[in-house]
Structure formats: structure tokens, C-alpha cells
Amino acid sequence: MHIQWYPGHMHKAGKEIREIAPQVDLFIEILDARIPFSSENPLLAQLRSSKPCIKVLNKCDLADFDATRQWQGYLEREQGVKTLALSIEQPEKIKQLPELCRKLLAFEESDNRLIHALIMGIPNVGKSTLINALAGRVIAKTGNEPAVTKSQQRIAIGNNIVLLDTPGMLWPNLENKNTGYRLAVTGAIKDTAIKHDDIAYFAAEFLLKLYPNCLVDRFKLDPLPNNEHDLMLAIGKSRGCLRSGGRVDLDKTAKILLSELRSGMLGRLTLETPAMMEQELAELAVIREQKAAKKQMRKQKHKGAL
């Protein structure tokens, strides 16, 4: 399934970010620690140029600890990028963010210059909750569904730092289909824009391969099914998601699996690794080349027909 969800306010946000970028001292991008690559906006690389960037791996309490460490090392290979893994349950770690801003800009403690930091992130990544924690008061509206923040805000958080908040923004075309699936699995795309059973099948296939023990522990399945369809049927039966005639209600089962995965009930999970993404990027490059070649052939045929 091709997932595309790009509301009008996100298009507006992209335009506003481009306009304000020259006034920004550094960028703060909030990533979902479970999908650091899929939640990373490619627009940022174009905008920041050589300006420093802090990539916050939020919700790290829900992510695989070893995978998070791998991602931090991978992301920090880029010049001017530092990472910070945290969750809203770690107030002391959140306080490290302003200090890291000053450190990246090489500002001394006695330097009273105002820092303008643009903070951005995909929908439902926890950006507004993090801003409220930094400010020590409720400023940014929060919610458990994507696309809550609709307009830009300026927020002083102390330490001579002003955050320029932006709406959670996805990009118009998700070329890598797995990126779209991972965003949907973690709740970054509104559930009204996806088919629950299709997304849950993707999650089930992944969990069987990398986290089978989490499935056994959570759903008490013995033996564990060896394919995603049988797994969905087993989960549906174990949770009583049955229709007349004893048929499993796959939509209801899918909602249960996705809800419990998103909330951390299945354990600490990371849906992608640096090695996986390198492979998928290589595959995507081949697909792009094939598309470009077909486009060129169509142009040549069109010219020949004239």
C-alpha cells in the first residue's frame, strides 16, 4: 500500500521553515527512537547547510537500547550533528538539551547572546510534550494523535534560548514504502489514512523475524506461528476478536497489535537499524535508476514519433 498523507498546514509549514531558516542558529530535530531514519525529515539536510543540529531520539524508553546506541553512532558521523537519547520520563536528561545547544555553538556560560533554535519533528513524535518540559509550563498543545500543532510559535525556555516551534511535518512523497509503513506502525500517520490490517501485517512480519520472544511473552502463543497471517489469526483468537461463525475479526486484531506495540506493551522495540536502512537505500537507488531509464525511453519514443 502506498501511504501518502500531507495535510495543507504541513505544506504551509515547509514554506515557513524555508523562510525562517537563515535566522536560525541551530536546528533541533526530534526523532522517534524506534524509527530514527524513517522519522528523519530529508528537508532538514537541505535547510541547515553547515549549521549545527541536535537530533533528539525521543521515546527511547520504548526503543531497543542497543539499537539506539547504534543509531547515535551512525547519526553523529555527519558533520555538526550531535544526538541525545531521552524520554519524557527523564527530566534530568531533558535539561541537558539547552546545555548541548550552547556547547555546539561554542558559547561560554558568560555569553549572553540569544540563541534561536528551530525545533522540528514529524507528527506524534513527542515534540510538544518535550517543549512543555523544557519551558516548565504548558505552552505547546499536546495530543495522542498526529498533527496537533498547526502554527509556528516562539518559546523562551531560559538560558537565552528561544525555540521556534513548527507543526509536525511529513514530506509529500514517501519513496521508500517501508518508511511509510514504519511511520504508520508508530502512529505518525493518522489512522484514518491507513488500513489497519495492512499495517499490522507489516508489523507482524517484522516482529516474527526480530522480536519473536516479545510476541510469545505478550500473547502467550505456544507454538509461535511462523508467518504473519497465522500470527494475526492466533492473536485474534487469544483476544476473543471473533465474528459469527468463529471467524477472526482482522481489523479489530490489527488495532490491538498496533495499540500495544505503540504503547510499549510488547517490550522495547526498534523497527529499523542502520544496516537495514543502508540496504533499503541501495535498493531505492536502483529503483530510481530504473524509473529514470524508462522516462528517458518514453521521451525518445515520443521524439521518434514526431
Side-chain angles (χ1 to χ4, degrees):
M1 183 175 73
H2 181 66
I3 300 170
Q4 188 144 327
W5 184 64
Y6 193 64
H9 76 273
M10 291 189 185
H11 176 75
K12 181 186 173 189
K15 185 179 177 183
E16 289 177 352
I17 290 172
R18 285 186 178 91
E19 290 172 353
I20 204 169
Q23 307 167 32
V24 172
D25 296 303
L26 64 81
F27 293 84
I28 301 171
E29 184 174 26
I30 314 299
L31 307 177
D32 187 324
R34 298 167 296 178
I35 50 168
F37 185 89
S38 294
S39 59
E40 188 178 42
N41 195 326
L43 173 66
L44 181 57
Q46 302 169 26
L47 289 175
R48 77 176 191 89
S49 186
S50 59
K51 290 181 180 179
C53 177
I54 300 170
K55 292 187 182 287
V56 175
L57 279 73
N58 198 26
K59 304 185 181 182
C60 70
D61 55 319
L62 300 176
D64 185 312
F65 178 78
D66 291 333
T68 298
R69 290 184 64 182
Q70 284 181 42
W71 274 111
Q72 287 188 269
Y74 181 82
L75 293 169
E76 289 189 2
R77 297 187 310 175
E78 188 178 352
Q79 183 68 31
V81 171
K82 291 293 181 186
T83 62
L84 184 64
L86 52 78
S87 78
I88 201 59
E89 308 300 327
Q90 300 171 308
E92 291 305 313
K93 213 164 185 185
I94 292 171
K95 289 176 184 176
Q96 293 177 21
L97 191 55
E99 296 171 16
L100 189 54
C101 289
R102 302 191 71 83
K103 187 176 179 180
L104 262 179
L105 291 168
F107 282 9
E108 299 292 337
E109 207 169 304
S110 57
D111 196 328
N112 291 320
R113 278 183 289 173
L114 198 63
I115 295 172
H116 291 92
L118 189 144
I119 187 165
M120 60 190 294
I122 63 167
N124 207 31
V125 79
K127 177 169 61 70
S128 295
T129 303
L130 183 62
I131 289 171
N132 291 337
L134 286 167
R137 59 195 188 282
V138 176
I139 295 174
K141 186 179 178 182
T142 62
N144 62 356
E145 64 172 40
V148 171
T149 304
K150 295 290 196 298
S151 60
Q152 208 174 84
Q153 303 179 77
R154 290 175 179 260
I155 302 160
I157 61 169
N159 286 53
N160 281 351
I161 298 174
V162 174
L163 292 181
L164 307 176
D165 185 21
T166 57
M169 187 177 70
L170 288 173
W171 37 106
N173 183 24
L174 301 171
E175 281 189 283
N176 184 348
K177 67 175 183 178
N178 290 336
T179 291
Y181 276 110
R182 291 178 188 122
L183 288 166
V185 167
T186 53
I189 295 174
K190 274 191 173 181
D191 282 350
T192 52
I194 64 174
K195 292 182 179 178
H196 290 103
D197 55 345
D198 191 28
I199 301 304
Y201 268 73
F202 176 87
E205 181 183 13
F206 176 83
L207 293 169
L208 279 170
K209 288 179 182 175
L210 269 75
Y211 295 100
N213 291 339
C214 292
L215 293 169
V216 172
D217 292 344
R218 181 63 190 169
F219 298 110
K220 311 302 180 190
L221 302 176
D222 185 24
L224 183 67
N226 57 15
N227 64 70
E228 60 271 25
H229 179 66
D230 289 346
L231 175 61
M232 292 288 287
L233 293 178
I235 291 172
K237 289 174 183 176
S238 72
R239 294 298 179 85
C241 303
L242 302 175
R243 290 178 170 175
S244 59
R247 290 180 299 119
V248 171
D249 185 330
L250 287 174
D251 185 66
K252 190 173 180 181
T253 303
K255 288 176 182 177
I256 287 174
L257 178 61
L258 292 173
S259 173
E260 297 193 4
L261 186 155
R262 291 169 182 172
S263 66
M265 291 181 182
L266 270 67
R268 298 180 66 146
L269 311 171
T270 297
L271 303 182
E272 58 193 20
T273 65
M276 286 169 57
M277 298 321 303
E278 292 285 357
Q279 182 180 341
E280 289 183 17
L281 286 174
E283 292 169 355
L284 186 58
V286 172
I287 292 170
R288 285 173 179 160
E289 287 175 8
Q290 291 171 345
K291 284 182 178 178
K294 287 179 182 178
K295 187 177 180 180
Q296 187 62 30
M297 285 178 65
R298 285 196 300 269
K299 281 184 178 179
Q300 289 173 352
K301 284 182 180 179
H302 180 68
K303 284 180 180 178
L306 294 176

